[in-house]
Amino acid sequence: MPLAGTIESYLAHTSKFPAVDHPEVCGIHTNASFALGNKEGESLLAHILDFAFAGPSGSLKDALADHDLVPGGNHQGAMLLKSKLQDVEAKLPGNISSASLLTLSARSSTVGMISFVYQEAQKYNTLVQALEGRVWALQQHLRGELVMEEEARQELEGIICDKTPVRWLVHSYPASQSLSGFLRNLKERVGYIKSLIEHLLRSQEAPTVEKFWLPGFFSPQSLFALFLQLEARRLELPLEKTTFRFAVTSLHDDGSDSPHRAQE
């Protein structure tokens, strides 16, 4: 601050201060501002949606608490929630048909890789079936066929705000996206596993895969462990004496000769 001056000089000096203090002023990392902005945005969106569809019971949250979204209720939020659930149901990918891999593994020298892909397919099928079950149960809640419990209310509140319900992540891989982003990513992952299975079935004599989309797997660490096991067997070495060696290259991957990420 100036040591001495007029009121105008002080006002001119303070007007140069930022409207919002930088996080580093409080000893916080810069990313804190992004987290704060995201939280404030979600809170604002939740309030807008909550009161935009207010009905006889008040806000949407009050209507969920009072179970005012059953047939006969005139809460317009019910129509929004039903539309949201139908949209989620339409965006869920279908189950992965992996039974054919069991036949292939019985007459293949690469049983380990096929077993790994089969286990990944089963994990995704479990997740998709769990999500289908929750959507069906929430639709029953909205029809008044089931009592609106607290967990169901939290799920519906999350869906209306495009947030992935915590209950849906019990069978899922780690995810922090919005609900729409989670569903897009799930569809892409399932599409990749399907393309991987099709590739293995097309090359039945010696099914091999040279390139992988690691984020497309439930547990990519299991794939690395499989590579070490296969190499240890080939070299007849103890597993603990095998490790990975990495090299940075300038090769361009056009994804033309092996399974790649499924396109939307």
Side-chain angles (χ1 to χ4, degrees), residues 155-173:
E155 286 179 271
L156 291 173
E157 289 177 23
I159 291 173
I160 206 71
C161 296
D162 197 32
K163 295 174 62 177
T164 307
V166 177
R167 188 172 182 176
W168 292 20
L169 301 177
V170 174
H171 301 285
S172 175
Y173 45 86

Side-chain angles (χ1 to χ4, degrees), residues 41 51 53 62 66 94 97 105 121 161 164 167 170 173 196 229 237:
F51 291 103
F53 297 93
D62 295 332
D66 296 339
S97 178
S105 63
C161 296
T164 307
R167 188 172 182 176
V170 174
Y173 45 86
L196 197 57
Q229 292 174 2
L237 292 174

Side-chain angles (χ1 to χ4, degrees), residues 1 14 57 63 79 87 99 115 123 125 134 162 165 172 178 188 193 206-207 212 241 247 250 261:
M1 295 291 291
T14 55
S57 299
M79 299 303 298
D87 182 59
S115 298
K123 291 177 182 178
N125 284 342
R134 287 312 307 156
D162 197 32
S172 175
S178 62
E188 194 171 11
I193 297 299
F212 297 91
K241 291 188 177 181
S250 58
R261 293 176 61 168

Side-chain angles (χ1 to χ4, degrees), residues 4 10 30 33 37 43 52 92 98 102 114 129 143 165 183 196 219 225 229:
Y10 281 106
T30 307
S33 60
S43 177
L92 288 175
S98 55
L102 295 179
I114 295 174
Q129 292 169 6
R143 291 194 297 266
L183 293 175
L196 197 57
S219 53
Q229 292 174 2

Side-chain angles (χ1 to χ4, degrees), residues 56-148:
S57 299
S59 66
L60 180 58
K61 185 175 182 180
D62 295 332
L64 288 171
D66 296 339
H67 199 36
D68 191 30
L69 301 180
V70 297
N74 56 355
H75 196 291
Q76 58 180 327
M79 299 303 298
L80 175 66
L81 284 169
K82 291 176 182 177
S83 175
K84 284 281 187 180
L85 287 175
Q86 291 173 354
D87 182 59
V88 170
E89 188 176 26
K91 290 181 178 179
L92 288 175
N95 287 337
I96 303 173
S97 178
S98 55
S100 53
L101 286 178
L102 295 179
T103 304
L104 179 59
S105 63
R107 50 190 174 85
S108 172
S109 58
T110 56
V111 178
M113 176 58 65
I114 295 174
S115 298
F116 168 76
V117 175
Y118 177 79
Q119 292 172 4
E120 288 287 318
Q122 293 300 102
K123 291 177 182 178
Y124 278 112
N125 284 342
T126 299
L127 173 57
V128 171
Q129 292 169 6
L131 296 182
E132 291 174 342
R134 287 312 307 156
V135 171
W136 179 77
L138 291 175
Q139 290 173 335
Q140 284 189 308
H141 284 299
L142 291 179
R143 291 194 297 266
E145 299 173 2
L146 293 176
V147 177
M148 185 71 72

Side-chain angles (χ1 to χ4, degrees), residues 18-33:
V20 180
D21 291 334
H22 196 276
E24 292 182 354
V25 174
C26 303
I28 304 176
H29 194 272
T30 307
N31 288 343
S33 60

